[in-house]
Amino acid sequence: MINCEDVIRFLDTYLNSAHIPDASRNGLQVAGTPRVGKIAFGVSASLELFRKAKAAGADLIVVHHGLLWGQEQPLTGMFRERIAFLLKYDLNLAAYHLPLDMHPVVGHNACLMRALHAEQAKPFGEYHGQTIGFSGRMRQPVPLPEITAALETFCGGKAQVLAYGPERVETVGVVSGGAYSMLPQAIAQKLDLYVTGVLDEPAQEWCREGKINCLALGHYNSEKPGVLALMNLVAKQFAVETEFIDVPNPI
């Protein structure tokens, strides 16, 4: 068993969460038992995740999408049920949103860049005044279908492909999650490929007119990599059992 506050202090410091403006209330969101023997990691806070974590014997749950988003919310409906479950079973809940998007080592986007074997990584993708993704160059031009297959395997899901750019990709920008609106930034930089989580209706014609390829891996699946990387880091840092709790989501 270890102290929950030690884990939270480590995560807060490593992810620099106190210095990153975010709508999410990053860090410990719901306090439970002060001592933990197992930590569950997941993408998004939900009753299904909480139930699976409790069944797995977890005392602390760490997610990317938490429950608190910078505004007061009445304890009613689904929100009440989620909070009630955590309190009933004395479970801790911590969340790290933008800090886990943008981290240069364990962040989703850094992990996706490594999966692509992209080099010369530099910050890319401005979101509310912050740069949360990365762009870079492939070691050598790679056919788009090869990149698609590699990322589908890495993220564990089928990609939506808009193939309007070069058949062989040399430059790429990556911003995971719901970042389709940053596609024009990739076009402005004349990148060959933009990788994100989900798309919306304007994306197709942006790609056609901007002569760029786009891969959408799913919001959930594109944001598993950082959670898994963070879990592996914690497992090395602390003498505690860890487990990734998958709640499959095609969106």
Side-chain angles (χ1 to χ4, degrees):
M1 301 286 282
I2 59 174
N3 293 325
C4 181
E5 65 178 13
D6 291 340
V7 179
I8 300 301
R9 185 182 304 111
F10 169 77
L11 291 174
D12 287 349
T13 301
Y14 184 81
L15 296 172
N16 196 32
S17 58
H19 299 96
I20 299 174
D22 196 353
S24 171
R25 192 327 184 161
N26 294 305
L28 187 65
Q29 294 192 344
V30 178
T33 178
R35 300 277 287 172
V36 300
K38 184 173 183 177
I39 306 174
F41 289 77
V43 176
S44 299
S46 69
L47 200 53
E48 181 69 8
L49 175 70
F50 299 164
R51 286 171 175 158
K52 287 186 173 184
K54 173 66 174 62
D59 307 296
L60 167 61
I61 303 169
V62 178
V63 297
H64 177 50
H65 303 125
L67 294 179
L68 304 179
W69 294 94
Q71 58 186 2
E72 293 183 0
Q73 185 171 341
L75 287 169
T76 58
M78 291 185 293
F79 185 60
R80 178 190 181 280
E81 293 302 312
R82 291 173 174 183
I83 296 293
F85 188 93
L86 294 171
L87 295 178
K88 178 179 180 179
Y89 293 105
D90 214 13
L91 297 174
N92 297 279
L93 174 69
Y96 296 93
H97 183 231
L98 291 185
L100 193 54
D101 284 316
M102 63 197 300
H103 196 275
V105 179
V106 299
H108 311 300
N109 300 308
C111 292
L112 289 167
M113 290 287 283
R114 287 196 296 272
L116 286 165
H117 303 294
E119 300 177 333
Q120 302 176 35
K122 59 183 180 181
F124 164 80
E126 185 176 324
Y127 175 77
H128 292 182
Q130 301 181 87
T131 306
I132 63 173
F134 296 96
S135 65
R137 300 189 67 87
M138 309 300 290
R139 294 175 182 173
Q140 59 184 21
V142 182
L144 181 61
E146 186 177 323
I147 290 177
T148 302
L151 289 181
E152 286 180 338
T153 299
F154 182 67
C155 293
K158 190 71 174 174
Q160 187 175 3
V161 183
L162 296 175
Y164 291 100
E167 294 181 0
R168 298 175 72 84
V169 172
E170 295 187 52
T171 56
V172 59
V174 178
V175 184
S176 66
Y180 96 95
S181 63
M182 296 185 197
L183 178 53
Q185 296 182 42
I187 294 170
Q189 293 196 16
K190 301 186 184 304
L191 299 178
D192 296 335
L193 171 65
Y194 178 60
V195 178
T196 189
V198 293
L199 300 175
D200 208 338
E201 192 275 340
Q204 175 178 279
E205 298 313 309
W206 285 347
C207 286
R208 191 196 311 271
E209 295 167 23
K211 298 179 176 58
I212 190 172
N213 300 299
C214 185
L215 294 182
L217 299 161
H219 196 140
Y220 178 88
N221 286 327
S222 72
E223 297 195 320
K224 286 193 294 187
V227 176
L228 289 166
L230 192 65
M231 179 183 73
N232 292 334
L233 175 70
V234 169
K236 292 177 182 178
Q237 185 73 21
F238 296 94
V240 64
E241 185 179 356
T242 60
E243 181 178 345
F244 177 71
I245 304 295
D246 198 11
V247 183
N249 186 339
I251 301 172

